[in-house]
Amino acid sequence: MQQDIREEIKGYKEPNIELSANHANKFEKLLMAEMHQQKPKKKNFKWLSIASSIVLLISLGIKFYPTKNIEQPIENVTKEISLGSISPEFETIEKYYINSINLEISQLELTDENKEIIDGYLSKIAELTKEYKSLTKELNTKGVNDSTIDALISNLQLRLQLLKRLKKQLKELKNLNNTQNDTQII
């Protein structure tokens, strides 16, 4: 039942199709319209990350600016214990998580579409930050213990995980919007 394809196409003649007289003009008009379309301007929120960095630097400067007289004896100043002051390893862990959290926050792109999602996540992170401060106070009052240290580290990890989850949801939302826009164009 096999047939030679050469036999099949021996008698084939290509149909003669003529283009309309103004085909070239129509094609040229479509090409020009496509080339001269303006792309929609993207909103640039780079200023938001710069502003948040400036606010962070100012707040750190205010926090660490010496406000007490130097003449006061050192004995009267009680040193507050934090996760980073317990050991160099904990200091590294705390710096890593805090820097990662600040980086993730500075990379968020705020738009009208994702404002509610970002606000919800940032309120949860604010609650976790308050809890972190209360755990630090507990560390100062009750002393250093494993459960408080674990709770502090878990708090930092949870804040970072929330920000990564937020970033993932924003990416999915953006992809969904792009898909919907593509289907509307078609």
Side-chain angles (χ1 to χ4, degrees):
M1 202 79 200
Q2 293 180 345
Q3 295 179 349
D4 190 10
I5 195 157
R6 288 177 273 187
E7 294 294 325
E8 290 287 324
I9 61 171
K10 242 184 201 179
Y12 177 76
K13 288 186 180 179
E14 190 173 320
N16 189 10
I17 300 173
E18 291 186 24
L19 299 175
S20 65
N22 62 351
H23 173 74
N25 291 337
K26 287 181 184 177
F27 182 74
E28 188 176 324
K29 284 180 185 178
L30 286 173
L31 186 61
M32 287 298 176
E34 185 72 28
M35 286 177 56
H36 295 292
Q37 264 185 350
Q38 287 186 346
K39 295 180 181 176
K41 291 184 179 180
K42 293 182 180 178
K43 293 184 179 180
N44 190 357
F45 289 102
K46 192 170 191 169
W47 63 269
L48 188 61
S49 62
I50 293 170
S52 64
S53 299
I54 291 171
V55 168
L56 179 67
L57 289 174
I58 290 172
S59 64
L60 287 174
I62 290 171
K63 179 171 177 60
F64 294 113
Y65 186 76
T67 56
K68 298 183 180 181
N69 284 336
I70 298 174
E71 297 172 5
Q72 289 181 345
I74 298 174
E75 301 162 345
N76 293 342
V77 179
T78 58
K79 188 174 181 182
E80 189 173 302
I81 299 173
S82 68
L83 183 63
S85 66
I86 295 172
S87 75
E89 291 83 10
F90 288 132
E91 182 180 11
T92 304
I93 291 169
E94 183 180 39
K95 283 182 181 179
Y96 167 76
Y97 280 113
I98 290 174
N99 289 338
S100 297
I101 289 167
N102 289 336
L103 177 67
E104 292 292 330
I105 289 174
S106 70
Q107 290 178 344
L108 293 177
E109 292 183 29
L110 183 65
T111 63
D112 293 336
E113 298 169 356
N114 64 12
K115 186 177 184 334
E116 287 183 42
I117 296 172
I118 290 176
D119 287 345
Y121 272 92
L122 290 180
S123 67
K124 296 280 187 194
I125 291 171
E127 290 174 20
L128 288 170
T129 304
K130 287 179 185 176
E131 183 182 331
Y132 185 82
K133 288 178 182 178
S134 69
L135 286 169
T136 304
K137 287 179 184 176
E138 181 182 321
L139 189 67
N140 284 299
T141 57
K142 293 185 179 180
V144 178
N145 59 33
D146 289 339
S147 62
T148 308
I149 292 172
D150 289 341
L152 286 167
I153 294 172
S154 296
N155 183 293
L156 290 169
Q157 289 173 339
L158 184 58
R159 283 193 273 170
L160 185 59
Q161 287 172 354
L162 280 173
L163 285 169
K164 288 184 178 186
R165 190 179 309 155
L166 170 63
K167 199 172 185 181
K168 183 179 177 184
Q169 282 187 349
L170 292 176
K171 186 176 182 181
E172 289 174 0
L173 179 66
K174 187 176 181 180
N175 288 340
L176 180 65
N177 287 341
N178 287 342
T179 306
Q180 286 177 349
N181 289 341
D182 289 345
T183 55
Q184 288 176 356
I185 291 172
I186 293 175

